[in-house]
Amino acid sequence: MKKNEIIISIESAIQGGSLSILIDGQEVDYWVGEKSVSKSEDLLDEISNLLKKNSIEKNNIKFIAVSDSVGSYTGIRIGLATALGLGKAFNESKVIRVSILFALAQTLTEKGRVVAAVSNNNRDIFIQTFESFSNENNFKKAVYQIIKINNEDFCAFISRESPFWIVTNEKFYEYITENDKLNHIIDLKRVKNAGKNLAKCIGMKVFKDIASDNNKT
């Protein structure tokens, strides 16, 4: 990957959404929304503010990463539309669609089974299992589909899967750590809170994928 290549990352379907700017794999700035659903005008205004604040020219942006799965359907559509529009406006920047669950799983470097789970309301939980085979983030997706389940089903799912790690967004992390029933079956030391800034996770996955592709050539 060339030096000073910039990634703008957009996640607009979980909680209030978030934006991240990464240069050479390092986050230089971010924004986290507080509204229940991201709006396109908010995303565009905040992206503009981040670029101005960090003196970044739009023609220097090579990649736009965007979440394309799970969470608010409206939020997903808004994020994708925003990313595609910016891709054309920013000198044909390449738009890369990312699964937020896969991006969350790749924040961990340890071997073992990883469950990635996110929720906006602690009633509907989007979840997927991954297997990590090395500390180089080589992952295999489990055969399970991404599913939407309730809290009791989540308990049964975790008991059945026995993951080594669970990685979640902030809202669902708070639910897990405060739920007495879950505390009996989950080692809370192995539950990772990815916070509200999920856009950073997406940007980091794209950076790693691009760097890996470059190393193969």
Side-chain angles (χ1 to χ4, degrees), residues 173-189:
Y173 175 84
E174 292 173 352
Y175 168 77
I176 291 175
T177 55
E178 294 171 2
N179 188 304
D180 292 336
K181 186 174 182 179
L182 287 175
N183 290 347
H184 291 299
I185 62 174
I186 294 176
D187 180 355
L188 295 182
K189 293 180 181 179

Side-chain angles (χ1 to χ4, degrees), residues 59-179:
N59 290 342
N60 293 331
I61 299 167
K62 301 300 182 184
F63 303 97
I64 300 173
V66 58
S67 174
D68 70 347
S69 62
V70 312
S72 160
Y73 293 124
T74 299
I76 291 171
R77 291 196 298 269
I78 288 172
L80 288 171
T82 301
L84 292 171
L86 291 177
K88 294 181 179 179
F90 289 176
N91 195 30
E92 296 299 323
S93 301
K94 184 176 181 180
V95 176
I96 301 177
R97 298 163 63 144
V98 178
S99 161
I100 183 57
L101 295 179
F102 202 172
L104 285 175
Q106 281 200 328
T107 63
L108 300 172
T109 57
E110 294 81 3
K111 296 179 182 179
R113 181 169 294 180
V114 178
V115 163
V118 297
S119 178
N120 276 328
N121 53 26
N122 294 337
R123 295 189 303 274
D124 300 322
I125 305 157
F126 299 88
I127 190 168
Q128 192 169 14
T129 303
F130 302 84
E131 296 284 351
S132 173
F133 296 102
S134 75
N135 60 5
E136 297 178 353
N137 276 340
N138 293 322
F139 278 85
K140 177 182 178 181
K141 296 180 183 179
V143 296
Y144 310 105
Q145 298 292 316
I146 297 173
I147 54 178
K148 189 167 68 170
I149 56 182
N150 60 34
N151 295 337
E152 290 185 2
D153 289 339
F154 178 74
C155 294
F157 182 93
I158 294 300
S159 296
R160 182 175 71 249
E161 291 298 292
S162 300
F164 192 75
W165 289 98
I166 301 172
V167 58
T168 80
N169 66 313
E170 182 174 88
K171 189 174 185 65
F172 195 49
Y173 175 84
E174 292 173 352
Y175 168 77
I176 291 175
T177 55
E178 294 171 2
N179 188 304

Side-chain angles (χ1 to χ4, degrees), residues 98-99 102-103 106 200-209:
V98 178
S99 161
F102 202 172
Q106 281 200 328
K200 179 181 178 181
C201 302
I202 294 171
M204 287 301 303
K205 172 171 171 47
V206 167
F207 173 79
K208 291 175 183 177
D209 289 348

